[in-house]
Amino acid sequence: MSQRPVQALALPDDLVVLQRDWLSSNNLLCLGEQAAIVDTGHVKHAAQTVRRVRAVLGTQPLATIAHTHLHSDHCGGTGALQAAWPTATTWVPEPSLDAVQRWDEDALSFDGTGQRCARFGADRALVPGQPVRLGAHDWQVHAAPGHDSLAVLLFEPRHGILVSGDALWEHGVGVIFPHIDGSAGFEPFNETLDVIERLAPEIVIPGHGAPFGRAGGAIDAALGRARERIATFQAQPAQHALYAAKVLIKYQMLDVDAMTHADFERWLNAAPSLHLLHRQHRPDLDWPSWLAHVLAPMFGKGVLQRDATHVRDGN
Ligand SMILES: [Zn+2]
């Protein structure tokens, strides 16, 4: 039995949340004369994403594809959706439009994190302050730096619905990527939480996990937990570095399922972000000792598994 009362989240009928498992982000379908999707999941699940979207839309074409941010778990299905519905217009946060059109994998952060994403095109820019029509509603666009410097929030004010991407989850916080490359600290994440508080949403549709509502205090509780976690990171940045390293390694293994020991080693050595995190976490350890230190609890808890030949994704 559920530990808390079931809250009837009053999402309008024309908003359909496809809740996904890791690695994919959730997908929000906005129905109407011009059907739209927000965030498209990981490339690993791209065919499944197209199938699930088609199951909802039937013969209606997908007209619009929009993104909260361009991490590989939020835009990996975009290429497949564009192939299925070639007339769709694709929107990305404004500062990324040029990088997508040139497909600059370094600027798009796929190289730095050692992640993969299928190439896609982009036509239009999501600009904070300029509303965008998605399905049957007009959505405000708000800047949401923190997890990703270029991310945006989408807010539908009539029903109080916030698409938060990875700026706010019900439980836990995402990695603060701008802190890894040194381009920003933790404060932008807090400022984005302030923006969310001011918008006072009724319902949050997060990038990962189930939607949650104001009723019963779930949104306030989520904001409180996120602020607490950021305060911990601010007091002890090394904790964030360790958390981020584990997330990046787990993410890779969720993508590939298994790697030979040699390939695993090669991937670890080649991921620039991990070297930055090594220096932020324990510069006193040499690289092999640091990796062993990070990996030991992951193997110990079964998050990763290994046999004679391979490292595998665990529980
Ligand atoms: Zn995500």
Side-chain angles (χ1 to χ4, degrees), residues 176 179 185-187 190 226-241 280-281:
I176 316 295
H179 193 268
F186 298 115
E187 202 42 45
N190 275 330
R227 286 191 196 285
E228 227 169 87
R229 187 88 162 119
I230 296 300
T232 305
F233 289 157
Q234 279 173 321
Q236 293 163 293
Q239 274 202 22
H240 173 263
Q280 288 169 21
H281 179 226

Side-chain angles (χ1 to χ4, degrees), residues 71 95 143-151 177-178 181 183-184:
H71 284 163
H147 167 74
D148 175 73
S149 298
L150 310 179
F177 282 91
D181 63 22
S183 59

Side-chain angles (χ1 to χ4, degrees), residues 11-275:
L11 273 180
D13 291 343
D14 54 24
L15 297 182
V16 178
V17 179
L18 303 179
Q19 194 183 328
R20 309 294 294 271
D21 291 331
W22 290 99
L23 284 175
S24 282
S25 67
N26 294 336
N27 320 122
L28 171 66
L29 283 169
C30 307
L31 308 181
E33 268 175 46
Q34 300 280 308
I37 189 170
V38 180
D39 287 347
T40 67
H42 193 272
V43 64
K44 183 179 184 179
H45 304 143
Q48 186 192 59
T49 302
V50 172
R51 268 199 311 277
R52 291 190 64 171
V53 171
R54 205 187 290 283
V56 175
L57 296 187
T59 56
Q60 187 188 8
L62 181 67
T64 307
I65 302 169
H67 303 87
T68 59
H69 62 298
L70 298 183
H71 284 163
S72 58
D73 54 327
H74 292 255
C75 61
T78 302
L81 291 168
Q82 290 176 340
W85 291 283
T87 56
T89 302
T90 298
W91 296 69
V92 297
E94 183 185 32
S96 301
L97 182 61
D98 179 56
V100 172
Q101 288 172 341
R102 286 183 290 111
W103 202 249
D104 179 340
E105 296 211 354
D106 192 32
L108 293 168
S109 88
F110 304 132
D111 283 352
T113 52
Q115 294 172 7
R116 66 191 181 107
C117 187
R119 183 168 187 166
F120 59 90
D123 313 293
R124 303 286 301 271
L126 292 165
V127 183
Q130 296 182 12
V132 60
R133 183 83 176 172
L134 297 173
H137 306 281
D138 291 320
W139 296 75
Q140 298 173 359
V141 179
H142 297 270
H147 167 74
D148 175 73
S149 298
L150 310 179
V152 296
L153 301 168
L154 298 170
F155 183 62
E156 198 285 306
R158 276 186 52 224
H159 299 85
I161 294 164
L162 178 76
V163 178
S164 64
D166 291 348
L168 181 66
W169 298 340
E170 186 169 13
H171 300 282
V173 298
V175 169
I176 316 295
F177 282 91
H179 193 268
I180 300 178
D181 63 22
S183 59
F186 298 115
E187 202 42 45
F189 197 101
N190 275 330
E191 289 162 11
T192 295
L193 297 179
D194 294 343
V195 171
I196 293 174
E197 210 149 29
R198 278 200 296 277
L199 292 172
E202 291 293 324
I203 296 174
V204 172
I205 301 171
H208 304 274
F212 52 102
R214 190 169 65 86
I219 294 177
D220 284 346
L223 286 165
R225 280 189 294 267
R227 286 191 196 285
E228 227 169 87
R229 187 88 162 119
I230 296 300
T232 305
F233 289 157
Q234 279 173 321
Q236 293 163 293
Q239 274 202 22
H240 173 263
L242 177 60
Y243 166 63
K246 288 177 175 174
V247 168
L248 289 181
I249 294 167
K250 176 67 176 174
Y251 191 101
Q252 171 67 7
M253 294 312 294
L254 278 163
D255 182 4
V256 301
D257 295 318
M259 286 169 118
T260 64
H261 290 292
D263 283 345
F264 184 58
E265 189 97 21
R266 214 168 293 134
W267 180 82
L268 292 167
N269 290 338
S273 297
L274 285 179
H275 290 274

